[in-house]
Amino acid sequence: MVDLGLGVREGGGLADRAAVGVLTRTFPVELVDRVIDQYWRREQRTRALPARLVFYFTLALCLFPNESYRSTMKILMSAFGRGGQGYRVPTTGSIGDARRRLGSEPMETAVRAVIRPRACRETIGAWYGDWLLTAVDGTTFTVPDTEENDREFGRPGSGRGEGKTAYPQIQAACVVELGTHAVFDARMDGYAAAETMLIEEMFSSLRPGMLVLADRHIYSSRRWAKAVDTGADLLWRVTANLAPRPVETLSDGSCIAEITPPRSSGQPSFRLRLIEYRLPWTEEVYRLVTTILDPLLAPAKELAALYHERWDIEGFLKQIKSVQLNTEKIFRSKSPDGVRQEFWAHLAVHYATMCVQVDAADHAKLDPDRISHKNTVRVIRSRIWAPGSFPPHAQR
């Protein structure tokens, strides 16, 4: 693993590429101002906490998960060049009110305007042949135990006490470019929302030229057909109870098989390629299905090895939970709209961090996985203290 702080090549450390302005470079001031105006969040009078500042403050909260509101604001004010002697840091209540005025919609809109796949053809580890490697998956995040959050999001059941766990949770799903960990679509909802439903909503982000990996709980004949319609190629694991009818055995041991959906679905039968294998250290049989029917383009052994790249999306989720969240791995926000705002802010900060890693990896001709996410965040945190980390705030 490469340490950003040490650099990898003569003539410059990679830390220089995580220098000041990383958040405004990824989420430019012009974009933030445009989104704020779109949602009528622009101040009608001069405030100590203008909407633009609050937007970046919310991102900074994700960089400094163990700092208080006021400590984080002090760091940000120093970066804006407004932390000189005599400047009074706003109260926690004032900062909370400012976050509520901003709301979640501008944050989501700004993030959606920026996130996209980042790999170029030269990005190491991002491709299989001509296919860009991507994956879909979901997870849950824990949020503060307030009546509002409980009512809005719900919580898992428990076999003890009152039959409920200590904290409410949200259900989230993401589409991620595996080679870079760039998220390029996401959804969130209450805990009871079906992860597969959220994943299906993101199929509109899939494109021809992508190879989409998914775990076995994602497959259904209807969902498969909907994903195929995007033009992307698929490599999904399926459960043992799926019973396709073998049609043709191929030279690499895989086979073309026919799926007959339930009559009630109204779907016609369709064909896919079935690959079955065992890993050397387990008796478990893995069953993969793919839209790539030609074994010369993608041999079964290569696809079997490739499928395990899907775990990179687990790494992406772990990076948010273990690095960007606090030691308890709980969001800060005590209101549902604050939770939504914070969810998109965490994706924004991860994306900005990822951009630094990919730029550094491309510069050094490395696989982006060689650049430590944790070290990158550490470097960004150290540099955000410096005056000039953000452009001066312009009152309007």
Side-chain angles (χ1 to χ4, degrees):
M1 189 71 71
V2 173
D3 187 337
L4 271 171
L6 297 178
V8 297
R9 307 180 80 186
E10 184 178 353
L14 295 182
D16 294 336
R17 298 184 174 269
V20 295
V22 63
L23 296 180
T24 50
R25 189 164 60 244
T26 310
F27 298 92
V29 169
E30 296 78 13
L31 168 66
V32 173
D33 285 347
R34 188 167 65 248
V35 170
I36 287 170
D37 287 339
Q38 176 184 336
Y39 286 97
W40 297 87
R41 299 299 199 271
R42 179 69 60 186
E43 301 77 18
Q44 300 304 308
R45 58 187 177 87
T46 301
R47 293 184 181 272
L49 293 168
R52 179 200 288 177
L53 175 62
V54 176
F55 179 94
Y56 292 114
F57 167 78
T58 307
L59 301 188
L61 286 175
C62 302
L63 277 174
F64 298 95
N66 296 312
E67 297 288 344
S68 68
Y69 267 27
R70 298 194 72 206
S71 294
T72 304
M73 182 58 74
K74 186 175 182 179
I75 294 169
L76 196 62
M77 289 285 78
S78 296
F80 267 85
R82 295 179 61 180
Q85 188 174 6
Y87 178 79
R88 295 182 61 184
V89 178
T91 65
T92 298
S94 297
I95 298 171
D97 289 342
R99 276 193 64 196
R100 283 187 285 274
R101 285 195 302 271
L102 178 65
S104 63
E105 290 176 322
M107 183 66 70
E108 178 179 351
T109 299
V111 175
R112 287 194 177 281
V114 170
I115 58 175
R116 59 179 177 81
R118 276 298 307 262
C120 62
R121 285 301 314 183
E122 291 73 31
T123 302
I124 299 172
W127 302 85
Y128 172 66
D130 291 330
W131 287 282
L132 179 66
L133 297 177
T134 65
V136 295
D137 204 1
T139 191
T140 57
F141 289 97
T142 302
V143 301
D145 184 16
T146 65
E147 289 185 8
E148 285 184 280
N149 284 344
D150 187 23
R151 188 166 52 248
E152 180 77 8
F153 301 123
R155 65 181 78 204
S158 170
R160 298 182 178 181
E162 297 179 355
K164 293 183 178 180
T165 54
Y167 292 95
Q169 292 185 354
I170 60 171
Q171 180 71 57
C174 297
V175 186
V176 172
E177 182 182 60
L178 291 176
T180 64
H181 290 184
V183 58
F184 58 96
D185 200 356
R187 295 290 189 278
M188 65 152 288
D189 207 333
Y191 175 77
E195 177 184 300
T196 51
M197 177 194 71
L198 300 181
I199 288 173
E200 192 171 322
E201 289 177 4
M202 299 186 297
F203 284 172
S204 58
S205 295
L206 305 182
R207 297 286 183 270
M210 292 181 178
L211 180 58
V212 186
L213 280 57
D215 203 3
R216 56 186 163 187
H217 66 282
I218 304 299
Y219 177 86
S220 74
S221 59
R222 182 189 60 79
R223 199 168 296 116
W224 175 269
K226 189 172 181 179
V228 167
D229 285 344
T230 68
D233 280 297
L234 312 179
L235 179 63
W236 293 7
R237 189 179 176 189
V238 294
T239 58
N241 59 8
L242 182 69
R245 182 177 67 85
V247 173
E248 178 188 357
T249 300
L250 302 175
S251 58
D252 62 352
S254 62
C255 72
I256 303 298
E258 186 171 84
I259 298 287
T260 303
R263 185 174 299 176
S264 59
S265 71
Q267 285 182 263
S269 298
F270 58 88
R271 291 187 177 186
L272 43 67
R273 183 169 160 216
L274 177 66
I275 300 168
E276 295 183 319
Y277 64 97
R278 284 190 179 91
L279 296 175
W281 55 86
T282 178
E283 291 299 310
E284 182 179 9
V285 175
Y286 282 77
R287 306 179 82 211
L288 306 180
V289 290
T290 182
T291 54
I292 306 173
L293 303 183
D294 187 346
L296 296 180
L297 289 177
K301 284 186 177 180
E302 291 185 6
L303 290 181
L306 185 68
Y307 174 75
H308 296 272
E309 295 287 325
R310 191 198 71 81
W311 288 102
D312 272 10
I313 195 171
E314 303 284 349
F316 155 78
L317 296 168
K318 184 178 180 181
Q319 286 168 350
I320 293 179
K321 292 183 178 183
S322 298
V323 178
Q324 294 180 196
L325 284 174
N326 53 35
T327 51
E328 289 80 21
K329 297 180 174 56
I330 301 174
F331 277 29
R332 295 177 185 251
S333 304
K334 296 180 180 179
S335 70
D337 195 58
V339 167
R340 294 185 178 92
Q341 184 190 71
E342 187 175 348
F343 171 75
W344 288 102
H346 274 293
L347 294 187
V349 168
H350 188 281
Y351 190 86
T353 306
M354 175 280 307
C355 288
V356 171
Q357 293 176 240
V358 172
D359 288 347
D362 286 348
H363 176 72
K365 294 181 171 54
L366 293 172
D367 187 324
D369 283 345
R370 294 284 309 282
I371 309 295
S372 164
H373 172 77
K374 186 175 182 178
N375 283 349
T376 306
V377 171
R378 173 181 57 79
V379 169
I380 293 170
R381 285 170 179 161
S382 70
R383 278 153 175 73
I384 207 171
W385 285 84
S389 297
F390 292 83
H393 174 71
Q395 300 279 354
R396 287 201 332 191

